Coordinates of all heavy atoms in Angstrom, one line a residue:
M20 N 19.1 21.9 -12.4 CA 17.9 22.6 -12.7 C 18.1 24.1 -12.3 O 18.4 24.3 -11.1 CB 16.7 22.0 -12.0 CG 15.4 22.7 -12.3 SD 13.9 22.0 -11.4 CE 13.6 20.6 -12.4
T21 N 17.8 25.0 -13.2 CA 18.0 26.4 -12.8 C 16.7 26.9 -12.1 O 15.7 26.2 -12.1 CB 18.2 27.2 -14.1 OG1 16.9 27.2 -14.8 CG2 19.3 26.7 -14.9
R22 N 16.8 28.1 -11.5 CA 15.7 28.7 -10.8 C 14.5 28.8 -11.8 O 13.4 28.6 -11.4 CB 16.2 30.0 -10.2 CG 15.2 30.6 -9.3 CD 15.8 31.9 -8.7 NE 16.8 31.5 -7.8 CZ 16.8 31.8 -6.5 NH1 15.8 32.5 -6.0 NH2 17.8 31.5 -5.7
E23 N 14.8 29.3 -13.0 CA 13.8 29.5 -14.0 C 13.1 28.2 -14.3 O 11.8 28.1 -14.5 CB 14.3 30.2 -15.2 CG 13.3 30.5 -16.3 CD 13.9 31.2 -17.5 OE1 14.9 31.8 -17.3 OE2 13.3 31.0 -18.5
Q24 N 13.9 27.1 -14.5 CA 13.3 25.8 -14.8 C 12.4 25.3 -13.7 O 11.4 24.7 -13.9 CB 14.4 24.8 -15.1 CG 15.1 25.0 -16.4 CD 16.4 24.1 -16.6 OE1 17.0 23.8 -15.6 NE2 16.6 23.7 -17.8
A25 N 12.9 25.5 -12.5 CA 12.1 25.1 -11.3 C 10.8 25.9 -11.3 O 9.7 25.3 -11.0 CB 12.9 25.4 -10.0
R26 N 10.8 27.2 -11.5 CA 9.5 28.0 -11.6 C 8.6 27.4 -12.6 O 7.4 27.3 -12.4 CB 9.8 29.4 -11.8 CG 10.3 30.1 -10.6 CD 10.4 31.7 -10.8 NE 11.3 32.3 -9.9 CZ 12.3 33.0 -10.2 NH1 12.7 33.2 -11.4 NH2 13.1 33.4 -9.2
D27 N 9.1 27.1 -13.8 CA 8.3 26.6 -14.9 C 7.7 25.3 -14.5 O 6.5 25.0 -14.8 CB 9.2 26.5 -16.2 CG 9.5 27.8 -16.8 OD1 8.9 28.8 -16.5 OD2 10.5 27.8 -17.7
F28 N 8.5 24.4 -13.9 CA 8.0 23.1 -13.5 C 6.9 23.3 -12.5 O 5.8 22.6 -12.7 CB 9.2 22.4 -12.8 CG 8.8 21.0 -12.3 CD1 8.8 19.9 -13.1 CD2 8.6 20.8 -10.9 CE1 8.5 18.7 -12.7 CE2 8.2 19.6 -10.5 CZ 8.2 18.5 -11.3
I29 N 7.0 24.1 -11.5 CA 6.0 24.3 -10.5 C 4.7 24.9 -11.2 O 3.6 24.5 -10.9 CB 6.5 25.3 -9.4 CG1 7.5 24.5 -8.6 CG2 5.3 25.7 -8.5 CD1 8.3 25.4 -7.6
A30 N 4.9 25.9 -12.1 CA 3.8 26.5 -12.8 C 3.0 25.4 -13.6 O 1.8 25.5 -13.6 CB 4.3 27.6 -13.7
R31 N 3.7 24.5 -14.3 CA 3.0 23.5 -15.0 C 2.2 22.6 -14.1 O 1.0 22.3 -14.4 CB 4.0 22.6 -15.8 CG 4.6 23.2 -17.0 CD 5.3 22.3 -17.9 NE 6.4 21.6 -17.2 CZ 7.7 22.0 -17.2 NH1 8.0 23.2 -17.7 NH2 8.6 21.3 -16.5
W32 N 2.7 22.2 -13.0 CA 2.0 21.4 -12.0 C 0.8 22.1 -11.4 O -0.3 21.5 -11.2 CB 2.9 20.8 -11.0 CG 3.6 19.6 -11.5 CD1 4.9 19.4 -11.8 CD2 2.9 18.3 -11.8 NE1 5.1 18.2 -12.3 CE2 3.9 17.5 -12.3 CE3 1.6 17.8 -11.7 CZ2 3.7 16.2 -12.8 CZ3 1.4 16.5 -12.1 CH2 2.4 15.7 -12.7
E33 N 0.9 23.4 -11.2 CA -0.2 24.2 -10.7 C -1.3 24.2 -11.8 O -2.5 24.1 -11.4 CB 0.2 25.6 -10.4 CG 1.0 25.7 -9.1 CD 1.6 27.1 -8.9 OE1 1.6 28.0 -9.8 OE2 2.1 27.3 -7.8
R34 N -1.0 24.3 -13.1 CA -2.0 24.2 -14.1 C -2.7 22.8 -14.2 O -3.9 22.7 -14.3 CB -1.4 24.6 -15.5 CG -1.1 26.0 -15.6 CD -0.7 26.4 -17.1 NE 0.4 25.7 -17.7 CZ 1.7 26.0 -17.6 NH1 2.0 27.1 -17.0 NH2 2.6 25.3 -18.2
V35 N -1.9 21.8 -14.0 CA -2.4 20.4 -13.9 C -3.4 20.3 -12.8 O -4.5 19.8 -12.9 CB -1.3 19.4 -13.8 CG1 -1.9 18.0 -13.5 CG2 -0.5 19.3 -15.1
N36 N -3.0 20.8 -11.6 CA -3.9 20.7 -10.4 C -5.2 21.5 -10.6 O -6.3 21.0 -10.3 CB -3.1 21.2 -9.2 CG -2.0 20.3 -8.8 OD1 -2.1 19.1 -9.0 ND2 -1.0 20.8 -8.1
E37 N -5.1 22.7 -11.3 CA -6.3 23.5 -11.5 C -7.2 22.7 -12.5 O -8.4 22.7 -12.3 CB -5.9 24.8 -12.1 CG -5.2 25.7 -11.1 CD -4.6 27.0 -11.8 OE1 -4.8 27.2 -13.0 OE2 -3.9 27.7 -11.1
F38 N -6.6 22.1 -13.5 CA -7.4 21.3 -14.5 C -8.1 20.2 -13.8 O -9.3 20.0 -14.0 CB -6.5 20.8 -15.6 CG -7.2 20.1 -16.7 CD1 -8.0 20.7 -17.7 CD2 -7.2 18.7 -16.6 CE1 -8.7 20.0 -18.6 CE2 -7.9 17.9 -17.6 CZ -8.6 18.6 -18.6
Q39 N -7.4 19.4 -13.0 CA -8.0 18.3 -12.3 C -9.1 18.7 -11.4 O -10.1 18.1 -11.2 CB -6.9 17.5 -11.5 CG -6.0 16.7 -12.5 CD -4.9 16.0 -11.7 OE1 -4.6 16.3 -10.6 NE2 -4.4 14.9 -12.3
L40 N -8.9 19.8 -10.7 CA -9.9 20.4 -9.8 C -11.2 20.7 -10.6 O -12.3 20.4 -10.2 CB -9.4 21.6 -9.0 CG -10.4 22.2 -8.0 CD1 -10.8 21.3 -7.0 CD2 -9.7 23.5 -7.4
A41 N -11.0 21.4 -11.7 CA -12.2 21.7 -12.5 C -12.9 20.5 -13.0 O -14.1 20.5 -13.1 CB -11.7 22.6 -13.7
E42 N -12.1 19.5 -13.4 CA -12.8 18.2 -13.8 C -13.6 17.6 -12.7 O -14.7 17.1 -12.9 CB -11.7 17.2 -14.2 CG -11.2 17.3 -15.6 CD -10.3 16.1 -16.0 OE1 -9.6 15.6 -15.1 OE2 -10.3 15.7 -17.1
R43 N -13.0 17.6 -11.5 CA -13.8 17.0 -10.4 C -15.0 17.8 -10.0 O -16.1 17.2 -9.8 CB -12.9 16.9 -9.1 CG -11.9 15.8 -9.2 CD -11.2 15.6 -7.8 NE -10.6 16.7 -7.3 CZ -9.3 17.1 -7.5 NH1 -8.5 16.4 -8.2 NH2 -8.8 18.1 -6.9
K44 N -14.9 19.1 -10.1 CA -16.1 19.9 -9.8 C -17.2 19.8 -10.9 O -18.4 19.9 -10.6 CB -15.7 21.4 -9.8 CG -15.0 21.8 -8.5 CD -14.7 23.3 -8.5 CE -14.0 23.7 -7.2 NZ -13.7 25.1 -7.1
A45 N -16.8 19.4 -12.1 CA -17.8 19.2 -13.2 C -18.5 17.9 -13.1 O -19.5 17.7 -13.8 CB -17.1 19.4 -14.5
M46 N -18.0 17.0 -12.3 CA -18.6 15.6 -12.3 C -19.9 15.7 -11.6 O -20.1 16.4 -10.6 CB -17.7 14.7 -11.5 CG -16.7 14.0 -12.3 SD -16.0 12.6 -11.3 CE -14.5 13.3 -10.8
T47 N -20.8 14.8 -12.1 CA -22.1 14.7 -11.4 C -22.0 13.7 -10.2 O -21.0 12.9 -10.2 CB -23.2 14.1 -12.4 OG1 -22.8 12.8 -12.7 CG2 -23.3 14.9 -13.6
P48 N -22.9 13.8 -9.3 CA -22.9 12.8 -8.2 C -22.8 11.3 -8.7 O -22.1 10.5 -8.1 CB -24.1 13.1 -7.4 CG -24.4 14.5 -7.7 CD -24.0 14.7 -9.1
T49 N -23.5 11.0 -9.7 CA -23.5 9.7 -10.3 C -22.1 9.3 -10.8 O -21.7 8.2 -10.5 CB -24.5 9.6 -11.4 OG1 -25.8 9.9 -10.9 CG2 -24.6 8.2 -12.0
E50 N -21.5 10.2 -11.5 CA -20.1 9.9 -11.9 C -19.1 9.7 -10.8 O -18.3 8.8 -10.8 CB -19.6 11.1 -12.8 CG -20.3 11.2 -14.1 CD -19.9 12.5 -14.9 OE1 -19.7 13.5 -14.2 OE2 -19.8 12.4 -16.1
R51 N -19.3 10.5 -9.7 CA -18.4 10.4 -8.5 C -18.7 9.0 -7.9 O -17.7 8.3 -7.5 CB -18.7 11.5 -7.5 CG -18.2 12.8 -8.0 CD -18.5 13.9 -7.0 NE -18.2 15.2 -7.6 CZ -18.2 16.3 -6.9 NH1 -18.5 16.3 -5.6 NH2 -17.9 17.4 -7.5
F52 N -19.9 8.6 -7.8 CA -20.3 7.3 -7.2 C -19.7 6.2 -8.0 O -19.1 5.3 -7.4 CB -21.8 7.2 -7.1 CG -22.2 5.9 -6.5 CD1 -22.1 5.6 -5.2 CD2 -22.8 4.9 -7.3 CE1 -22.5 4.4 -4.6 CE2 -23.2 3.7 -6.8 CZ -23.0 3.4 -5.5
R53 N -19.8 6.3 -9.3 CA -19.2 5.2 -10.2 C -17.7 5.1 -10.0 O -17.2 4.0 -10.0 CB -19.5 5.5 -11.6 CG -21.0 5.2 -12.0 CD -21.3 5.4 -13.4 NE -22.7 5.1 -13.7 CZ -23.4 5.7 -14.6 NH1 -22.9 6.6 -15.3 NH2 -24.7 5.4 -14.7
K54 N -17.0 6.3 -9.8 CA -15.6 6.2 -9.6 C -15.2 5.5 -8.2 O -14.3 4.8 -8.1 CB -15.0 7.6 -9.6 CG -14.9 8.1 -11.0 CD -14.0 9.4 -11.1 CE -13.8 9.8 -12.5 NZ -12.4 9.9 -12.9
V55 N -16.0 5.8 -7.2 CA -15.8 5.2 -5.9 C -16.0 3.7 -6.0 O -15.2 2.9 -5.5 CB -16.7 5.8 -4.8 CG1 -16.7 4.9 -3.6 CG2 -16.3 7.2 -4.5
V56 N -17.1 3.3 -6.7 CA -17.4 1.8 -6.9 C -16.2 1.2 -7.7 O -15.8 0.1 -7.4 CB -18.7 1.6 -7.6 CG1 -18.9 0.2 -8.0 CG2 -19.8 2.1 -6.7
L57 N -15.7 1.9 -8.7 CA -14.6 1.3 -9.5 C -13.4 1.1 -8.6 O -12.7 0.1 -8.6 CB -14.2 2.3 -10.6 CG -13.0 1.9 -11.5 CD1 -13.3 0.6 -12.2 CD2 -12.7 3.0 -12.5
L58 N -13.1 2.1 -7.7 CA -11.9 1.9 -6.8 C -12.1 0.8 -5.9 O -11.2 0.0 -5.6 CB -11.7 3.2 -6.0 CG -11.2 4.4 -6.8 CD1 -11.2 5.7 -6.0 CD2 -9.8 4.1 -7.3
M59 N -13.4 0.6 -5.4 CA -13.6 -0.5 -4.5 C -13.5 -1.9 -5.2 O -13.0 -2.8 -4.7 CB -15.1 -0.4 -3.9 CG -15.2 0.8 -3.0 SD -16.9 1.2 -2.5 CE -17.3 -0.2 -1.5
D60 N -13.9 -1.9 -6.5 CA -13.7 -3.1 -7.3 C -12.2 -3.4 -7.5 O -11.8 -4.6 -7.6 CB -14.4 -3.0 -8.7 CG -15.9 -3.1 -8.6 OD1 -16.4 -3.7 -7.5 OD2 -16.6 -2.7 -9.5
W61 N -11.4 -2.4 -7.7 CA -9.9 -2.6 -7.9 C -9.3 -3.3 -6.7 O -8.4 -4.1 -6.8 CB -9.2 -1.3 -8.1 CG -9.4 -0.7 -9.5 CD1 -10.1 -1.2 -10.5 CD2 -8.9 0.5 -10.0 NE1 -10.1 -0.4 -11.6 CE2 -9.3 0.7 -11.3 CE3 -8.1 1.5 -9.4 CZ2 -8.9 1.8 -12.1 CZ3 -7.7 2.6 -10.2 CH2 -8.1 2.7 -11.5
V62 N -9.8 -3.0 -5.5 CA -9.3 -3.7 -4.3 C -9.5 -5.2 -4.4 O -8.6 -5.9 -4.1 CB -10.1 -3.1 -3.0 CG1 -9.8 -4.0 -1.8 CG2 -9.7 -1.7 -2.7
K63 N -10.7 -5.6 -4.9 CA -10.9 -7.0 -5.1 C -10.1 -7.6 -6.3 O -9.4 -8.6 -6.1 CB -12.4 -7.2 -5.4 CG -13.3 -6.9 -4.3 CD -14.8 -7.0 -4.8 CE -15.7 -6.4 -3.8 NZ -17.1 -6.3 -4.3
C64 N -10.1 -6.9 -7.4 CA -9.4 -7.4 -8.6 C -7.9 -7.5 -8.4 O -7.3 -8.5 -8.9 CB -9.6 -6.4 -9.8 SG -11.3 -6.4 -10.4
F65 N -7.3 -6.6 -7.7 CA -5.8 -6.6 -7.5 C -5.4 -7.3 -6.3 O -4.2 -7.4 -6.0 CB -5.3 -5.2 -7.6 CG -5.4 -4.5 -8.9 CD1 -6.1 -3.3 -9.0 CD2 -5.0 -5.1 -10.1 CE1 -6.3 -2.7 -10.2 CE2 -5.1 -4.5 -11.3 CZ -5.8 -3.3 -11.4
G66 N -6.3 -7.9 -5.5 CA -6.0 -8.6 -4.3 C -5.4 -7.8 -3.2 O -4.5 -8.2 -2.4
W67 N -5.9 -6.6 -3.1 CA -5.4 -5.6 -2.1 C -6.1 -5.8 -0.7 O -5.6 -5.2 0.3 CB -5.5 -4.2 -2.5 CG -4.7 -3.8 -3.7 CD1 -3.6 -4.5 -4.2 CD2 -4.9 -2.8 -4.6 NE1 -3.1 -3.9 -5.3 CE2 -3.9 -2.8 -5.6 CE3 -5.9 -1.8 -4.7 CZ2 -3.8 -1.9 -6.6 CZ3 -5.8 -0.9 -5.7 CH2 -4.8 -0.9 -6.7
R68 N -7.1 -6.5 -0.7 CA -8.0 -6.6 0.6 C -7.2 -7.0 1.8 O -7.2 -6.3 2.8 CB -9.2 -7.5 0.4 CG -10.1 -7.5 1.6 CD -11.4 -8.2 1.3 NE -12.1 -7.7 0.2 CZ -12.9 -6.6 0.2 NH1 -12.9 -5.9 1.3 NH2 -13.5 -6.2 -0.9
A69 N -6.4 -8.0 1.7 CA -5.6 -8.5 2.9 C -4.6 -7.4 3.3 O -4.5 -7.2 4.5 CB -4.9 -9.8 2.5
G70 N -3.9 -6.8 2.4 CA -3.0 -5.8 2.8 C -3.6 -4.6 3.4 O -3.1 -4.0 4.4
L71 N -4.8 -4.2 2.9 CA -5.5 -3.1 3.5 C -6.0 -3.4 4.8 O -6.0 -2.6 5.7 CB -6.6 -2.6 2.5 CG -6.2 -2.0 1.2 CD1 -7.4 -1.8 0.3 CD2 -5.5 -0.7 1.5
E72 N -6.5 -4.6 5.0 CA -7.0 -5.0 6.3 C -5.9 -5.0 7.4 O -6.1 -4.6 8.5 CB -7.7 -6.4 6.2 CG -9.0 -6.4 5.5 CD -9.6 -7.7 5.3 OE1 -8.9 -8.8 5.6 OE2 -10.7 -7.8 4.8
R73 N -4.7 -5.5 7.0 CA -3.5 -5.4 7.9 C -3.2 -4.0 8.3 O -3.0 -3.7 9.4 CB -2.3 -6.1 7.3 CG -2.3 -7.6 7.4 CD -1.0 -8.2 7.0 NE -0.5 -7.8 5.7 CZ -0.9 -8.5 4.5 NH1 -1.6 -9.5 4.6 NH2 -0.4 -8.1 3.4
E74 N -3.1 -3.1 7.3 CA -2.8 -1.7 7.6 C -3.9 -1.1 8.4 O -3.6 -0.3 9.3 CB -2.7 -1.0 6.2 CG -1.4 -1.3 5.5 CD -1.3 -0.6 4.2 OE1 -1.9 0.5 4.0 OE2 -0.5 -1.0 3.3
E75 N -5.1 -1.4 8.2 CA -6.2 -0.9 9.0 C -6.1 -1.3 10.4 O -6.3 -0.5 11.3 CB -7.6 -1.4 8.4 CG -8.8 -0.6 8.9 CD -10.0 -1.1 8.2 OE1 -10.1 -0.9 6.9 OE2 -10.9 -1.7 8.8
Q76 N -5.8 -2.6 10.6 CA -5.6 -3.1 12.0 C -4.4 -2.4 12.7 O -4.5 -2.1 13.8 CB -5.4 -4.6 12.0 CG -5.4 -5.2 13.4 CD -6.7 -4.9 14.2 OE1 -7.8 -5.1 13.7 NE2 -6.5 -4.4 15.4
L77 N -3.3 -2.2 11.9 CA -2.2 -1.5 12.5 C -2.6 -0.1 12.9 O -2.2 0.4 14.0 CB -1.0 -1.5 11.5 CG -0.3 -2.8 11.3 CD1 0.7 -2.6 10.1 CD2 0.5 -3.2 12.5
A78 N -3.3 0.6 12.1 CA -3.8 1.9 12.4 C -4.7 1.9 13.7 O -4.5 2.8 14.6 CB -4.5 2.6 11.2
R79 N -5.6 1.0 13.7 CA -6.4 0.8 14.9 C -5.6 0.6 16.2 O -5.8 1.2 17.2 CB -7.4 -0.3 14.8 CG -8.5 0.0 13.9 CD -9.6 -1.0 14.0 NE -10.8 -0.7 13.2 CZ -11.1 -1.4 12.1 NH1 -10.5 -2.4 11.7 NH2 -12.2 -1.0 11.4
D80 N -4.6 -0.3 16.1 CA -3.7 -0.6 17.2 C -3.0 0.7 17.7 O -2.9 0.9 18.9 CB -2.7 -1.7 16.9 CG -3.4 -3.0 16.7 OD1 -4.6 -3.2 17.0 OD2 -2.7 -3.9 16.1
V81 N -2.5 1.4 16.7 CA -1.8 2.7 17.1 C -2.7 3.7 17.8 O -2.3 4.2 18.8 CB -1.1 3.3 15.8 CG1 -0.6 4.7 16.1 CG2 0.0 2.5 15.3
W82 N -3.9 3.9 17.2 CA -4.8 4.8 17.8 C -5.3 4.3 19.2 O -5.4 5.1 20.1 CB -6.0 5.0 16.9 CG -5.7 6.0 15.9 CD1 -5.5 5.8 14.6 CD2 -5.5 7.4 16.1 NE1 -5.2 7.0 13.9 CE2 -5.1 8.0 14.8 CE3 -5.5 8.3 17.2 CZ2 -4.9 9.3 14.7 CZ3 -5.2 9.6 17.0 CH2 -4.9 10.1 15.8
N83 N -5.5 3.0 19.4 CA -5.9 2.5 20.7 C -4.7 2.7 21.7 O -5.0 3.1 22.9 CB -6.2 1.0 20.6 CG -7.6 0.8 20.0 OD1 -8.5 1.7 20.0 ND2 -7.8 -0.3 19.3
R84 N -3.5 2.5 21.3 CA -2.4 2.8 22.2 C -2.3 4.2 22.6 O -2.1 4.6 23.7 CB -1.1 2.3 21.5 CG 0.1 2.5 22.4 CD 1.3 1.7 21.9 NE 2.4 1.8 22.8 CZ 3.5 2.4 22.6 NH1 3.8 3.0 21.5 NH2 4.5 2.5 23.6
I85 N -2.4 5.1 21.6 CA -2.4 6.6 21.9 C -3.5 6.9 22.8 O -3.3 7.7 23.8 CB -2.6 7.4 20.6 CG1 -1.3 7.2 19.7 CG2 -2.9 8.8 20.8 CD1 -1.4 7.8 18.3
R86 N -4.7 6.3 22.6 CA -5.9 6.6 23.5 C -5.6 6.2 24.9 O -5.8 6.9 25.9 CB -7.1 5.9 22.9 CG -8.4 6.4 23.5 CD -9.6 5.7 22.8 NE -9.7 6.0 21.4 CZ -9.6 5.1 20.4 NH1 -9.4 3.9 20.7 NH2 -9.7 5.5 19.2
R87 N -5.0 5.0 25.1 CA -4.6 4.4 26.4 C -3.6 5.3 27.1 O -3.7 5.7 28.3 CB -4.1 3.0 26.3 CG -5.2 2.0 26.2 CD -4.7 0.6 26.4 NE -3.5 0.2 25.6 CZ -3.4 -0.2 24.4 NH1 -4.5 -0.5 23.8 NH2 -2.3 -0.5 23.8
L88 N -2.6 5.7 26.3 CA -1.5 6.6 26.9 C -2.1 7.9 27.3 O -1.7 8.5 28.3 CB -0.4 6.8 25.9 CG 0.5 5.5 25.6 CD1 1.4 5.8 24.5 CD2 1.2 5.1 26.9
H89 N -3.0 8.5 26.5 CA -3.6 9.8 26.8 C -4.4 9.7 28.1 O -4.5 10.6 28.9 CB -4.5 10.2 25.6 CG -5.2 11.5 25.9 ND1 -4.5 12.7 26.0 CD2 -6.5 11.8 26.1 CE1 -5.3 13.7 26.2 NE2 -6.6 13.2 26.3
R90 N -5.1 8.6 28.3 CA -5.9 8.4 29.5 C -5.1 8.0 30.7 O -5.6 7.9 31.8 CB -7.0 7.3 29.2 CG -8.0 7.7 28.2 CD -9.0 6.6 28.1 NE -9.9 6.9 27.0 CZ -10.6 6.0 26.3 NH1 -10.4 4.7 26.5 NH2 -11.4 6.4 25.4
G91 N -3.8 7.7 30.5 CA -3.0 7.3 31.6 C -2.9 5.9 31.9 O -2.4 5.4 32.9
N92 N -3.5 5.1 31.0 CA -3.5 3.6 31.2 C -2.4 3.0 30.3 O -2.6 2.8 29.1 CB -4.9 3.0 30.7 CG -6.0 3.6 31.5 OD1 -5.9 4.1 32.6 ND2 -7.2 3.7 30.8
T93 N -1.3 2.7 30.9 CA -0.2 2.2 30.1 C -0.1 0.7 30.2 O -0.4 -0.1 30.8 CB 1.2 2.8 30.5 OG1 1.3 2.6 31.9 CG2 1.2 4.2 30.1

């Protein structure tokens, strides 16, 4: 990839990002809420709940360990 091709590639993605940002800003609160609900439904439909719960527990364990170390309780 040449330097010019790289610049063009980056410029295209910047335009995509600007377009997506404009789309999000144009959404009503109701549309945003519906999208959140849809994502929550996908968790159920695709069977992701167990995996997400495991990851959530791992994150909690890490933060609890950091908190204990910070307080000096090892």
Side-chain angles (χ1 to χ4, degrees):
M20 179 181 282
T21 66
R22 189 177 289 244
E23 184 179 333
Q24 289 172 325
R26 282 191 200 121
D27 290 343
F28 178 82
I29 291 169
R31 283 192 305 272
W32 278 108
E33 286 173 349
R34 287 192 303 272
V35 168
N36 290 335
E37 289 169 7
F38 180 81
Q39 288 179 336
L40 179 61
E42 273 188 330
R43 285 193 304 270
K44 285 183 177 182
M46 270 196 259
T47 66
T49 302
E50 290 170 324
R51 290 180 188 186
F52 178 73
R53 285 185 181 144
K54 284 192 174 238
V55 169
V56 170
L57 177 64
L58 289 173
M59 292 170 68
D60 285 342
W61 284 0
V62 169
K63 295 174 194 169
C64 291
F65 295 123
W67 294 339
R68 184 170 304 282
L71 290 174
E72 287 174 356
R73 279 192 302 275
E74 289 179 19
E75 193 174 298
Q76 187 58 50
L77 286 172
R79 283 192 178 113
D80 293 345
V81 167
W82 278 109
N83 286 332
R84 183 166 185 245
I85 290 170
R86 196 175 297 116
R87 281 193 311 272
L88 291 171
H89 179 69
R90 292 180 185 155
N92 303 331
T93 53

